[in-house]
Amino acid sequence: MESPRALIAVVDDEASVRKAICRALRLADYEALPFAHGLDLLASPPLPRIACVVMDVHMPVLNGLDVLSRLRTQGMVAPVILVSASDEAGLPERARAAGAAHFLLKPFSMDVLTKVIERVLV
């Protein structure tokens, strides 16, 4: 029997970025579940099945750091990879301090993303 594919949540308010990441993850044999906002992820019924989250930091309503904090408060232990196009000083350190497994600066290659996901899922 084939093992189930890991479910990766992709949270980004930019539809083109969300679609591109989901497409790349599916090609890498992951199951990708897109979300336009962090609140959608927090309310998602499959939340307990999610193996990893790839999430933008800068989004309306709740930023990625706030969503990560709420996920941890809800007891979610799955690794979270935060991504951002901002090279704001200290952002990678704040992401790690908040509990992110990894931080990637946009633009990044899909190959780099899948390698990071493989590492954090071990």
Side-chain angles (χ1 to χ4, degrees):
M1 185 172 163
E2 196 174 305
S3 62
R5 299 181 311 165
L7 178 60
I8 312 296
V10 177
V11 188
D12 199 304
D13 58 315
E14 291 184 49
S16 61
V17 172
R18 193 171 57 247
K19 280 181 168 182
I21 292 173
C22 285
R23 185 178 311 114
L25 291 175
R26 289 181 185 115
L27 288 172
D29 207 29
Y30 291 106
E31 184 179 349
L33 188 58
F35 296 95
H37 302 285
L39 289 175
D40 296 339
L41 171 66
L42 292 167
S44 174
L47 193 59
R49 281 192 335 110
I50 293 171
C52 181
V53 177
V54 176
M55 180 166 45
D56 191 20
V57 173
H58 298 287
M59 296 183 292
V61 184
L62 280 180
N63 69 43
L65 294 168
D66 292 336
V67 176
L68 174 55
S69 175
R70 289 189 186 193
L71 288 170
R72 296 303 184 236
T73 299
Q74 291 180 5
M76 183 184 206
V77 296
V80 174
I81 300 165
L82 289 177
V83 302
S84 178
S86 170
D87 62 354
E88 172 186 333
L91 185 56
E93 293 78 15
R94 287 193 358 249
R96 284 186 202 81
H102 200 84
F103 178 86
L104 286 173
L105 188 60
K106 292 178 183 177
F108 48 83
S109 75
M110 293 305 149
D111 186 49
V112 166
L113 178 60
T114 56
K115 283 185 170 100
V116 168
I117 290 171
E118 288 170 15
R119 262 198 327 266
V120 301
L121 286 180
V122 174

